[in-house]
Every structure is written in C-alpha cells, then in structure tokens.
Amino acid sequence: QVQLVQSGPEVKKPGASVKVSCKASGYTFSTYDISWVRQAPGQGLEWMGWISPYKGNTNYAQKFQGRVTMTTDTSTSTAYMELRSLTSDDTAVYYCAGGTNFDYWGQGTLVTVSS
Amino acid sequence: EIVLTQSPATLSLSPGERATLSCRASQSVGSYFAWFQQKPGQAPRLLIYDASNRATGIPARFSGSGSGTDFTLTISSLEPEDFAVYYCQQRSNWPRTFGQGTKVEIK
C-alpha cells in the first residue's frame, strides 16, 4: 500500500533552517507529484508548494518564495522540504501529500520555532 | 489567488442526521475541486475529488456536487466517526488553496 513516512519533530531557533523528509513506498516514486502543506496550531491548512519527482519541476506559494526549496531523491524515493529564516510564525505541523488530488498524506512533522 | 469560503464555520448535528457543507470559490475552478476530512491529531484524508468522485474506501454516505464556483459536501446520515473538520480545496489554479474549514460537532 502507498505510504508516506515523514521525519521526526524538530525544534529550531529563530533564523535557523529546517529540512523535513518524506519517504515514499508502495508505488513508483515518479508516479505521484508531492505537495507540501502546513498547519499552524489550531489553524487551517496552508499549501506551500509542489514538486514533480518525474521532471523536478516546482511551484511555490508566493508567500514562501525565496525561503523554501523542495527537492526529491529518486534513488531513495524521498522528497524534501527545506524552509529557511524561520520565525515563530513557522511553528506548525508540516505534511507531505502525494498525488494530483492529494490522495496520500504523510503523518506530519511538528516544527517548533522558539528561542 | 482563488479564495475558498466555507459555510457554516460550525455545524452542530446529531448522529443519523444529514450534514450539508458548502464551499464557494472566488472564481470558477471547473470541477478541479476536492473535500478532505481531518480528525484531531491526524493528517487530512481525501474524501471527494473532481467535485463528485469518492476516493478509494470512502463510504457511500459521503457525496459531493457542484461545479464552477459553488460546491456541496453531503453526509447523508452522520456516523459517530464523521464528527471532524472538513476542508475544501481547489487545484484549478496556482497556488492551490484550501477553505478555512467547517467543524461538524455533536449536538
């Protein structure tokens, strides 16, 4: 069965960077695009961006342009999302989602930004 | 950016009742529209894609309708496990956007 398994929780200081991984299994990695979505505590879902593992194309939300980088490693079937210059407003659960329709979701990675 | 507005914010119903959730888009998204369910501490789950297609394993009591700018998610008879937050989402345009959510709570 399709599974997306994300890396563990992170605690970062303001100004630092975080890199979250999302390892896919149960399907051919290049088949499904990967999107990243975050959810601040008690808030709704916020789309951050998208990457095509097949071509490496990306599309980022304007809010994160210049601060986020999404990559994939097809040799390990893993997608990555790096977010730089963190502030307390970046404290959230970060999800990867696979498929055109966001069919499959990782379990989420809590990133806490605190001094 | 396409703004999705969900109504109501909260829906208080009893098990067995019918739930009707709405989502309106600020411009047409065709049928590139989805509904998700999220329970506390869990990742969202895809319920409906392309406005009216149930995702794999989703019970028949969930149905979606609409096109263009107005969409509806109907739960024909609420089961205890259906009390959750529901989000709509469009994939017609970049950036992809979500509605703010509708909480379906037990009355």
Side-chain angles (χ1 to χ4, degrees), chain B residues 36-90:
Chain B
F36 296 85
Q37 177 194 67
Q38 188 179 33
K39 298 179 181 179
Q42 295 185 17
R45 176 174 71 147
L46 175 67
L47 296 176
I48 302 289
Y49 66 95
D50 291 347
S52 61
N53 296 296
R54 274 190 302 277
T56 303
I58 302 303
R61 64 181 181 271
F62 291 92
S63 64
S65 63
S67 67
T69 60
D70 290 288
F71 299 87
T72 301
L73 174 69
T74 301
I75 311 171
S76 60
S77 178
L78 283 164
E79 296 288 339
E81 62 267 28
D82 299 336
F83 292 92
V85 179
Y86 293 82
Y87 294 95
C88 58
Q89 185 236 17
Q90 64 82 23

Side-chain angles (χ1 to χ4, degrees), chain A residues 37 39 43-45 47 50 59 95 100-103 105-106, chain B residues 36 38 42-44 46 49-50 87 89 91 94-96 98:
Chain A
V37 175
Q39 186 170 39
Q43 302 302 307
L45 302 173
W47 182 82
W50 161 94
N59 191 304
Y95 294 102
T100 302
N101 298 304
F102 295 58
D103 308 72
W105 292 69
Chain B
F36 296 85
Q38 188 179 33
Q42 295 185 17
L46 175 67
Y49 66 95
D50 291 347
Y87 294 95
Q89 185 236 17
R91 65 176 184 88
W94 302 105
R96 306 315 195 207
F98 290 91

